[in-house]
Amino acid sequence: GAALGGRGLLALAVASGATAWATWAVVLMPGFRRVPLRLQVPYQPSSPRQVANALALLRGRAGKTVDLGSGDGRLVVEAYKQGLRPALGYELNPWLLCLANYRAWRAGYHGKVSFLKKDLWKVDLSDCNNVIVFLAPSVKPPLATKLLAELPDGARVVSGRFPFPSWTPSSTLGQGLEQVWAYDMKEVRQAAQSSAQG
């Protein structure tokens, strides 16, 4: 085709900017409205390898499994598929909740998995055995405090993309952006108590 002229390039740049802004305003921003700036986490879908690695670290476990900031629901659906039940996700963004429910319906799990519009900072996690966390580094320190206070000793936390900075993982899988870390709460508590005593 013919080369773009100056007007064509300008129109393309304006259209691209408008599309990016519309995506932010309609899809991403609604989940951020009630969340403090430092705790906001942009939506970034997990890759198939990240999902596989996270669930490999939960293989053989049982009990309630939750994904904090579940986005489009792919981790919750896959957790249910691998026998982790009940499986549910907490997400504030209504558009992502719709996408998650559609994903569950397409997989044949509608009504079997749950996606709840709840702030992860306000949910009670005391009955959770498995927690999946694919969140930004800025969220990890305050979230570590919440998890330590609420999760039972037998719980396991699997973190994707970024580790918890003050915890030592019991196992890890993958490399680079696909690396995931598993933390067993009993070990995390014992390390925290030893550190406090020392």
Side-chain angles (χ1 to χ4, degrees):
L4 284 175
R7 284 187 183 185
L9 287 174
L10 180 61
L12 182 63
V14 169
S16 298
T19 301
W21 180 87
T23 301
W24 165 255
V26 174
V27 177
L28 302 176
M29 191 175 66
F32 287 164
R33 288 188 181 138
R34 294 182 301 275
V35 180
L37 184 61
R38 70 184 181 86
L39 300 180
Q40 291 179 3
V41 181
Y43 168 61
Q44 185 176 4
S46 305
S47 71
R49 177 50 53 196
Q50 288 172 331
V51 172
N53 287 347
L55 292 169
L57 294 181
L58 293 175
R59 191 167 292 128
R61 292 182 57 82
K64 184 176 180 181
T65 301
V66 300
D67 183 7
L68 302 178
S70 55
D72 64 11
R74 64 186 67 198
L75 280 157
V76 174
V77 168
E78 199 59 36
Y80 184 88
K81 191 183 292 186
Q82 294 192 18
L84 293 164
R85 300 170 185 173
L88 66 138
Y90 294 115
E91 175 61 54
L92 281 177
N93 189 308
W95 298 99
L96 292 176
L97 285 167
C98 288
L99 185 56
N101 281 304
Y102 173 72
R103 182 182 290 275
W105 173 80
R106 246 182 71 196
Y109 300 144
H110 179 71
K112 297 177 181 177
V113 298
S114 301
F115 298 100
L116 306 175
K117 186 179 179 183
K118 290 191 177 180
D119 185 341
L120 67 88
W121 302 104
K122 297 176 181 174
V123 297
D124 179 12
L125 301 173
S126 60
D127 63 343
C128 298
N129 288 9
N130 308 296
V131 177
I132 302 170
V133 181
F134 273 66
L135 298 172
S138 60
V139 176
K140 296 293 173 71
L143 184 57
T145 302
K146 177 179 173 63
L147 297 175
L148 272 170
E150 296 181 17
L151 289 178
D153 274 350
R156 172 171 280 191
V157 176
V158 173
S159 178
R161 295 196 187 101
F162 305 101
F164 282 88
S166 60
W167 292 1
T168 301
S170 52
S171 57
T172 185
L173 185 62
Q175 295 181 346
L177 291 176
E178 292 171 346
Q179 187 170 6
V180 292
W181 297 263
Y183 305 91
D184 293 317
M185 291 311 297
K186 188 172 184 178
E187 293 177 16
V188 170
R189 283 197 178 94
Q190 288 171 345
Q193 289 167 357
S194 297
S195 177
Q197 290 169 358

